[in-house]
């Protein structure tokens, strides 16, 4: 990586810089006719927006990707194929590219970085129904809907290509607005950017920002754009002399929206929210390969919704905890997950880290979640390791393409796990909580390591600390319809009641 632009985060200065750079770093192509952002293309036309990479960076040597014949800038982003926890991880890289479009785009991918020629390819999620053409080292397929597309070559997850096909961007903030931090194309290293009430941070397509965004005690804040926040300049948080640098950190914030951007190479958690209310997150993409690289992680929050997003993490992908007070009203919907380590959908272990009175985690919905790969611990887990009352939790329409629980998971190889057990993360050691009214409605697992149904388990603690009223229905695993606890290979202890599979 060559020299970078360095500046402080001042909205007026950034607005001027962005206005100049935006004209040279983004080009737009329409077939046929000129692009029309407001109304979209006429019938039969395609509107395509391609963002050049920063001049200080070089497009990946591992992948060559074009969209309707136009070259995309391909980023090498950090991932980790280890399924064993280590303080000294051995991350590698995988290619990532993005563009905006409305209409129809044909993608052409070549993979010179693979150890062998491309002989086969799969486009995930399989629900797209895309069967690519593979010939002469090229993988070609056409997309008609915005979304996240992952391409796996030769049945090997190494160097899988992540392609983020965004909708055409609208509602771009005014760079001259004094309440707008407008970061234009280019590679930028900045001090932490702190957003105050009624401020917007716009990260343009073609921008790579090495910094962190903090929203602490502020409200009515927007973070948006098509750019990238890249934490690769920072050593992992647990290395000597380093500390946690969360790319987007919300703390006691209210009325926040985050949309469109991509987070890569974080040195710890990615998008964290603590004791915040009314947060809307849409079309945010996360790829993380270092320790504690949780994707969307919320503690003691209320009324958060995450939609149309993507997480590839080296720790829990979608996670809820209590650090100070209760959690209520959280929705994860239409999200793709790739979990290289830990759990895909996790509640806990810390459910009362702040030792608050009568803590709860409730009214939580995981809906239309596609787990591309789950490589380590349970896919669905509630680990109430403190004394919280965890209740009214729903999982609806969960598709697991590959449930490959392996690595150093020990006795944590379950597909579904709900427990009231103390752990290394427990804070409250003299009391236990409970789990009640959990519903799993629609769970499909396409592949497991051995083609068989993996185990699930439910463990309560005592007569007053039980797991109750769990309904699991519409489950299919490796083509087998699951209609009973036996079919599910599920175990429960005597402190569970009303666990029903139908």
């Amino acid at each position: 990586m060559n020299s970078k632009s360095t500046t402080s985060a001042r909205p007026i200065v950034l607005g001027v810089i962005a206005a100049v750079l935006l004209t040279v770093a983004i080009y737009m192509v329409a077939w046929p006719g000129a692009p029309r952002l407001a109304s979209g293309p006429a019938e039969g036309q395609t509107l395509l927006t391609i963002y050049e990479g920063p001049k200080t960076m070089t497009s990946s040597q591992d992948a060559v990707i074009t969209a309707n014949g136009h070259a995309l800038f391909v980023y090498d982003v950090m991932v980790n194929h280890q399924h064993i926890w280590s303080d000294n991880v051995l991350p590698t890289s995988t290619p990532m590219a993005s563009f905006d479009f409305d209409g129809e785009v044909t993608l052409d991918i070549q993979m010179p970085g693979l150890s062998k020629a491309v002989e086969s390819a799969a486009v995930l999620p399989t629900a797209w129904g895309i069967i690519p053409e593979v010939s002469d080292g090229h993988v070609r397929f056409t997309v008609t809907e915005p979304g996240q597309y992952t391409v796996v070559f030769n049945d090997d997850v190494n160097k899988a290509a992540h392609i983020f096909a965004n909708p055409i961007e609208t509602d771009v903030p005014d760079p001259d607005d004094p309440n707008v931090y407008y970061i234009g194309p280019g590679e930028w290293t900045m001090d932490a950017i702190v957003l105050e009430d009624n401020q917007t941070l716009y990260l343009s397509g073609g921008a790579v920002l090495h910094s962190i965004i903090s929203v602490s005690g502020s409200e009515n804040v927007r973070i948006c754009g098509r750019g990238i926040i890249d934490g690769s300049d920072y050593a992992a948080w647990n290395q000597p002399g380093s500390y946690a640098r969360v790319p987007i950190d919300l703390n006691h914030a209210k009325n926040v929206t985050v949309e469109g951007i991509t987070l890569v190479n974080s040195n710890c958690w990615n998008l964290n929210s603590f004791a915040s209310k009314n947060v809307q997150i849409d079309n945010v993409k996360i790829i993380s390969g270092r320790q504690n690289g949780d994707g969307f992680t919320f503690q003691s929050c209320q009324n958060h919704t995450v939609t149309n997003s993507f997480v590839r993490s080296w720790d829990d992908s979608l996670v809820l905890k209590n650090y100070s007070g209760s959690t209520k009203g959280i929705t994860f919907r239409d999200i793709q997950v790739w979990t290289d380590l830990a759990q895909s959908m996790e509640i806990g272990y810390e459910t009362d880290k702040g030792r608050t009175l009568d803590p709860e985690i409730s009214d939580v919905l995981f809906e239309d979640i596609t787990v591309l790969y789950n490589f380590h611990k349970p896919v669905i887990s509630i680990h109430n390791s403190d004394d919280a009352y965890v209740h009214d939790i729903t999982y609806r329409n969960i598709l697991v393409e590959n449930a490959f629980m392996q690595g150093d998971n020990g006795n944590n190889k379950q597909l579904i796990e709900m427990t009231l057990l103390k752990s290394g993360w427990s804070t409250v050691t003299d009391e236990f909580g409970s789990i009640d009214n959990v519903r799993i409605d629609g769970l499909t697992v396409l592949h497991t390591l051995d083609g068989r149904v993996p185990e699930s388990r439910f463990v309560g603690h005592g007569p007053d600390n039980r797991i109750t009223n769990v309904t699991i229905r519409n489950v299919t695993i490796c083509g087998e319809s699951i209609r009973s606890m036996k079919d599910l290979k599920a175990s429960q202890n005597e402190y569970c009641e009303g666990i029903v599979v139908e």
Side-chain angles (χ1 to χ4, degrees):
M1 194 174 291
N2 298 321
S3 61
K4 306 168 189 174
S5 302
T6 304
T7 184
S8 60
R10 299 183 184 278
I12 297 177
V13 174
L14 290 178
V16 174
I17 294 172
V20 175
L21 293 179
L22 190 62
T23 61
V24 298
I26 302 176
Y27 60 92
M28 311 186 75
V29 188
W31 294 272
R36 292 176 288 142
L37 284 175
S39 60
E43 184 177 356
Q45 295 180 331
T46 291
L47 182 60
L48 172 65
T49 308
I50 295 174
Y51 302 99
E52 292 184 351
K55 301 301 183 185
T56 53
M57 301 178 71
T58 302
S59 188
S60 173
Q61 301 300 300
D62 289 334
V64 177
I65 305 175
T66 64
N68 283 354
H70 295 265
L72 302 181
F73 191 93
V74 181
Y75 295 88
D76 287 318
V77 295
M78 188 183 301
V79 295
N80 194 332
H81 295 294
Q82 291 176 288
H83 312 309
I84 298 173
W85 174 265
S86 172
D87 287 335
N88 295 294
V89 301
L90 301 173
T92 184
S93 66
T94 208
M96 179 195 79
S98 67
F99 59 92
D100 303 351
F101 83 112
D102 185 359
E104 184 175 291
V105 169
T106 297
L107 294 163
D108 185 304
I109 307 172
Q110 299 176 74
M111 295 297 297
L114 293 183
S115 59
K116 60 177 292 187
V118 176
E119 297 175 352
S120 66
V123 179
L124 304 179
T126 56
W128 288 122
I130 295 174
I131 300 176
E133 173 192 346
V134 180
S135 64
D136 299 325
H138 291 257
V139 177
R140 299 182 182 91
F141 60 95
T142 298
V143 300
T144 59
E145 298 179 48
Q148 298 91 34
Y149 297 81
T150 294
V151 186
V152 175
F153 308 95
N154 300 332
D155 297 318
D156 185 351
V157 296
N158 186 44
K159 302 297 181 185
H162 297 294
I163 301 173
F164 302 138
N166 302 295
I168 293 295
E169 190 174 18
T170 60
D171 194 21
V172 176
D174 182 355
D176 295 323
D177 186 330
N179 283 322
V180 172
Y181 285 77
Y182 198 113
I183 302 177
E187 189 175 16
W188 305 93
T189 296
M190 300 183 184
D191 296 333
I193 300 173
V194 179
L195 297 179
E196 306 293 345
D197 290 355
N198 305 307
Q199 288 189 330
T200 293
L201 183 139
Y202 177 75
L203 188 60
S204 172
V208 175
L209 173 64
H210 303 279
S211 185
I212 59 176
I213 313 302
S214 175
V215 183
S216 183
S218 302
E219 57 184 272
N220 304 322
V221 169
R222 182 184 179 204
I223 301 168
C224 58
R226 292 290 188 265
I228 297 170
I229 301 178
D230 184 342
S232 59
D233 277 9
Y234 311 129
W237 73 272
N238 60 350
Q239 298 304 302
S242 187
Y243 58 92
R245 297 174 181 265
V246 181
I248 297 180
D249 195 14
L250 312 180
N251 186 331
H252 289 84
K254 293 181 181 178
N255 306 325
V256 177
T257 61
V258 185
E259 52 193 340
I261 64 173
T262 301
L263 310 178
V264 300
N265 307 332
S266 173
N267 85 332
C268 57
W269 295 352
N270 284 271
L271 201 161
N272 174 62
S273 186
F274 168 65
S276 298
K277 297 180 180 179
N278 307 326
V279 173
Q280 303 291 319
I281 299 167
D282 184 68
N283 189 27
V284 170
K285 289 78 64 177
I286 294 171
I287 300 179
S288 175
R290 289 195 280 186
Q291 297 96 333
N292 299 99
D294 299 57
F296 296 106
T297 176
F298 307 150
Q299 306 92 36
S300 304
C301 290
Q302 296 182 29
N303 302 327
H304 283 38
T305 299
V306 185
T307 54
N308 307 312
S309 295
F310 178 94
V311 178
R312 180 173 179 179
S313 66
W314 205 68
D315 212 323
D316 303 323
S317 290
L318 312 176
V319 56
L320 302 177
K321 303 179 181 181
N322 280 343
Y323 275 16
S324 178
S326 295
T327 295
K328 183 175 183 179
I330 309 296
T331 294
F332 296 102
R333 178 183 291 117
D334 192 15
I335 300 173
Q336 295 179 34
V337 168
W338 175 323
T339 309
D340 284 307
L341 191 85
Q343 288 101 180
S344 291
M345 290 167 276
E346 162 74 343
I347 295 176
Y349 285 81
E350 304 97 310
T351 61
D352 189 12
K353 192 169 183 178
R355 295 180 180 270
T356 57
L357 183 65
D358 299 325
E360 299 183 32
I361 296 179
S362 67
D363 302 291
V364 175
L365 173 63
F366 296 87
E367 184 173 44
D368 298 328
I369 308 297
T370 298
V371 180
L372 303 180
Y373 290 93
N374 185 97
F375 275 113
H376 194 224
K377 292 185 177 181
V379 175
I380 294 174
S381 51
I382 301 177
H383 295 126
N384 191 352
S385 193
D386 289 310
D387 62 343
Y389 175 34
V390 179
H391 63 99
D392 293 290
I393 313 295
T394 300
Y395 304 84
R396 183 181 299 128
N397 298 332
I398 309 299
L399 172 63
V400 185
E401 303 234 359
N402 300 283
F404 290 169
M405 287 74 77
Q406 55 185 294
D408 66 345
N409 54 24
N411 193 32
N412 248 171
K413 302 176 182 180
Q414 294 77 22
L415 174 66
I416 303 167
E417 183 177 53
M418 301 181 192
T419 64
L420 300 170
L421 298 173
K422 295 307 178 188
S423 73
W425 298 277
S426 296
T427 300
V428 179
T429 58
D430 56 346
E431 295 184 44
F432 288 81
S434 60
I435 298 171
D436 180 55
N437 196 25
V438 179
R439 186 175 183 87
I440 299 174
D441 189 355
L443 170 62
T444 300
V445 179
L446 298 183
H447 304 102
T448 62
L449 273 177
D450 56 8
R452 294 182 291 183
V453 176
E455 296 179 355
S456 292
R457 72 169 181 165
F458 304 83
V459 182
H461 172 70
D464 299 321
N465 306 102
R466 305 169 70 88
I467 299 176
T468 54
N469 304 315
V470 177
T471 301
I472 303 171
R473 61 191 304 269
N474 296 324
V475 177
T476 302
I477 301 177
C478 297
E480 179 180 344
S481 181
I482 305 300
R483 298 298 179 89
S484 67
M485 290 284 281
K486 181 179 179 181
D487 291 345
L488 190 61
K489 291 188 178 178
S491 63
Q492 60 179 317
N493 69 1
E494 66 269 34
Y495 304 119
C496 298
E497 181 180 357
I499 300 179
V500 177
V501 179
E502 58 185 35

